[in-house]
Amino acid sequence: MSREEKPYPPERAKGPAGEGPERGTTRDGSPRVLFVSPEASPLAMTGGLGDVAGALPQALLRLGADVRVVLPFYRGVRKRMEGSAPVLTEVEVPLGGQDLRCAVREGRLGRVPLYLLDREDLYDRPNLYAAPRGDYYDNLERFTFLCHAALRIPGALSWTPDVVHCHDWQTGLVAPLLKGPYRGDPSVATARMVFTIHNAGYQGLFPAEKLEVTGLSRAECYHPEGLEYWGSLSLLKAGAVYSDALTTVSPTYAREICTPELGLGMEGVFRARGDSLKGILNGADYGRWDPARDPHIAAGYGPGNMQGKSRCRKALVQETGLDGVPGDRPILGVVSRLDRQKGMDLLAQALPELVALDTGIVILGNGDMRIQEALERAAAPYAGRVSLRIGFDEGFSHRIMAGADFLLVPSLYEPCGLTQIYALRYGTIPVARATGGLKDTIRDGENGFLFEPYDAGALAEAVKRAVRAFSRKKEWPRMVRNAMSADFSWDRSAALYMELYEALMGRKAGGVSAHG
Ligand code: ADP
Ligand code: GLC
């Protein structure tokens, strides 16, 4: 019998003795949400998706949702959670015609239950997605496994989610799996599926002949209205096409991905989703990003007490050796993946002009080798004025946020962007390109500076305007106050997701619960 012909629902996994399936929503009617993500801060992250998946479930829980997160037990997670106990000793997970066994360990993200997929052969690696020379060769297998395992867990735990909420291409197969092979599985068949795109630039492309790995039917799925994309499989497209609701992480980016410039070839797919495509702005986890109680910085501060910020600046100057910067001149900070998306080529080109403004520049980033080398070449002549650190360093990212006067975010595109939101809370004024979520969080001249054309001259011009404002006695404190008082806490965004879940469950529409 081929994988596609296997009977569903699948056999139950060996798990804890339960009292039989829990049906319907939580007692007070709030949704049960299975949250499937390839990253979750502080356990595993390469960027903002990790921040979101670490914080949003906790905000949903505060609003009453019964939310549970599924995450691979990567090597970094294993190191932090070695003592976590298996909640399921053996779940059978189909992959490419075989059934693999997987233990599921239980952890917590705050108070949110976390289910960790323990398969050393797939996830016990130095990085999440790639070795220095390129992506892991078996990423299709690794993330197909995540999708199947996530759909097997509810049955094994006798817990029936109302909504499955998935994130980015790594989880894109959940939607067609729910509509195909799992449509007869009572533990998940009634769940509605939300797919959130954090970055349409990562499309999860794999050779078409590998479709058999996924367990999906070629006849049902491999066509232009399905997950076929110019002769390849696209896992991002799978999520976008088959989900019940499609969201992205800011209202502006939701519009932008429907255009050829930023849809990156998928604009037709996104446009076709029409009304079911929503932009919900990310929030900030002010538990982790609050200058008044940040354990990483030299001194705490807040809007009513800014002396701490001056101490953080001195500490940053000392840590980075920026002794060539006059005390009254601003420090420009950068915390970024080194990726074409982030406009780091503009930064490298504009560097001499920025230094000529008598500024100091602190850059923290990692990623693309060519961008790293371009920045190293650009920074080399400016010892004592420009500090470049390559690596991923959470503590240092906080010290830059607190010690710098400006944060530069010259992105080519930016679905939401979190660093500018953190910078605002730290009274560090963002200078950013007017795109995506940067446009939705920064008001030019009020709490930051925006520039339009994607070129080094426009970046330098915006920094010039910013530096002029920095030396104005009245304007500057006003901008810093505006920045620090902006509120992007998760509760507001989480409430919008709750509304979406409830609408999908049918309450808003007709008052009838998905489970009667
Ligand atoms: P993206 O997800 O596109 O990288 P975001 O602004 O949404 O951009 O999120 C980036 C997150 O990753 C932020 O929390 C930022 O502080 C963090 N980050 C990025 N690069 C580094 C780095 N080199 N070291 C530490 N943290 C980093
Ligand atoms: C992506 C985007 C970034 C966004 C983050 C979290 O990595 O590049 O703009 O803030 O996801 O949604």
Side-chain angles (χ1 to χ4, degrees):
M1 203 192 307
S2 80
R3 254 230 29 77
E4 283 148 36
E5 293 164 309
K6 277 205 168 160
Y8 278 84
E11 281 177 17
R12 293 280 171 246
K14 291 182 195 153
E19 295 150 18
E22 295 175 47
R23 296 249 143 251
T25 54
T26 49
R27 204 165 297 139
D28 66 356
S30 303
R32 296 168 193 266
V33 183
L34 181 68
F35 204 92
V36 189
S37 174
E39 304 189 12
S41 162
L43 298 170
M45 72 178 271
T46 62
L49 166 57
D51 285 356
V52 171
L56 173 58
Q58 301 193 50
L60 292 167
L61 182 108
R62 288 196 291 277
L63 295 179
D66 173 1
V67 55
R68 307 182 187 194
V69 177
V70 179
L71 180 77
F73 198 43
Y74 300 111
R75 183 175 298 174
V77 182
R78 186 178 290 272
K79 278 193 192 136
R80 284 169 173 256
M81 307 201 62
E82 197 54 73
S84 56
V87 59
L88 298 167
T89 49
E90 206 175 277
V91 181
E92 281 200 353
V93 180
L95 186 69
Q98 285 183 301
D99 279 327
L100 304 187
R101 301 216 147 82
C102 177
V104 178
R105 292 174 180 249
E106 187 167 23
R108 296 261 148 186
L109 272 175
R111 290 191 296 124
V112 173
L114 181 62
Y115 300 131
L116 300 162
L117 307 179
D118 188 355
R119 269 303 293 206
E120 290 184 23
D121 55 343
L122 297 175
Y123 302 125
D124 187 16
R125 315 237 174 128
N127 300 306
L128 302 196
Y129 311 125
R133 266 175 292 127
D135 288 351
Y136 291 136
Y137 71 96
D138 57 351
N139 275 348
L140 177 63
E141 286 79 0
R142 297 172 76 230
F143 293 104
T144 297
F145 188 87
L146 167 63
C147 296
H148 275 285
L151 292 175
R152 292 293 175 109
I153 287 174
L157 290 173
S158 302
W159 177 77
T160 311
D162 300 296
V163 173
V164 184
H165 188 167
C166 293
H167 301 267
D168 271 356
W169 70 263
Q170 296 90 332
T171 61
L173 288 174
V174 167
L177 287 173
L178 262 178
K179 302 233 154 118
Y182 288 81
R183 66 186 154 225
D185 180 345
S187 315
V188 289
T190 51
R192 311 313 304 274
M193 154 85 196
V194 178
F195 186 61
T196 297
I197 295 177
H198 295 261
N199 195 327
Y202 296 87
Q203 301 180 334
L205 298 179
F206 296 95
E209 54 283 10
K210 294 194 85 175
L211 184 73
E212 277 59 40
V213 169
T214 67
L216 291 167
S217 144
R218 190 167 286 276
E220 281 179 22
C221 295
Y222 190 71
H223 48 75
E225 281 72 45
L227 49 73
E228 188 267 347
Y229 183 68
W230 298 101
S232 292
L233 312 175
S234 165
L235 273 46
L236 185 83
K237 190 177 171 197
V241 167
Y242 291 101
S243 53
D244 296 304
L246 182 61
T247 72
T248 184
V249 287
S250 70
T252 296
Y253 191 60
R255 289 189 293 276
E256 288 173 344
I257 57 172
C258 294
T259 66
E261 294 75 40
L262 292 180
L264 304 170
M266 295 250 182
E267 58 276 9
V269 177
F270 301 136
R271 270 204 301 267
R273 291 304 313 260
D275 290 346
S276 52
L277 169 60
K278 259 199 171 56
I280 299 180
L281 195 70
N282 284 332
D285 180 352
Y286 291 131
R288 284 178 57 223
W289 293 96
D290 175 1
R293 17 175 215 142
D294 184 334
H296 300 289
I297 65 178
Y301 64 95
N305 162 25
M306 293 295 282
Q307 286 100 328
K309 184 153 178 76
S310 315
R311 286 186 48 203
C312 290
R313 178 195 151 109
K314 284 202 186 92
L316 183 65
V317 165
Q318 205 164 30
E319 177 174 0
T320 53
L322 287 192
D323 40 26
V325 185
D328 62 345
R329 301 303 293 166
I331 293 187
L332 319 177
V334 176
V335 176
S336 184
R337 284 185 293 116
L338 301 184
D339 186 282
R340 214 177 92 76
Q341 175 204 341
K342 296 293 179 179
M344 293 293 111
D345 43 344
L346 292 197
L347 178 67
Q349 280 171 45
L351 213 64
E353 256 193 277
L354 304 185
V355 176
L357 296 169
D358 270 348
T359 61
I361 304 172
V362 180
I363 305 166
L364 168 65
N366 70 339
D368 188 295
M369 206 52 158
R370 274 179 309 127
I371 298 177
Q372 177 182 325
E373 285 164 5
L375 285 172
E376 281 166 347
R377 273 194 304 278
Y382 304 114
R385 301 290 304 281
V386 178
S387 154
L388 171 64
R389 190 182 296 183
I390 301 298
F392 194 93
D393 184 339
E394 191 184 343
F396 190 42
S397 74
H398 285 245
R399 295 195 290 282
I400 293 176
M401 227 43 103
D405 300 293
F406 294 103
L407 186 84
L408 305 187
V409 197
S411 306
L412 176 61
Y413 72 93
E414 196 60 76
C416 177
L418 292 168
T419 57
Q420 85 281 8
I421 299 181
Y422 303 149
L424 289 169
R425 186 43 63 106
Y426 282 68
T428 300
I429 299 299
V431 181
R433 185 147 176 278
T435 180
L438 297 167
K439 245 169 136 169
D440 293 342
T441 49
I442 299 170
R443 279 165 293 122
D444 187 72
E446 292 291 316
N447 63 0
F449 295 91
L450 292 170
F451 64 97
E452 294 273 351
Y454 187 74
D455 66 55
L459 166 61
E461 268 315 306
V463 173
K464 271 185 208 154
R465 282 201 295 135
V467 167
R468 277 200 297 274
F470 179 75
S471 48
R472 290 199 191 113
K473 291 270 168 319
K474 274 205 179 134
E475 186 178 349
W476 184 247
R478 180 184 60 82
M479 287 193 80
V480 171
R481 266 196 314 275
N482 287 344
M484 294 180 86
S485 63
D487 183 6
F488 293 104
S489 55
W490 263 112
D491 294 345
R492 200 172 11 176
S493 309
L496 296 174
Y497 282 109
M498 282 289 262
E499 257 175 42
L500 176 66
Y501 300 157
E502 287 170 353
L504 284 172
M505 288 156 60
R507 299 232 188 81
K508 292 272 159 72
V512 182
S513 150
H515 299 289

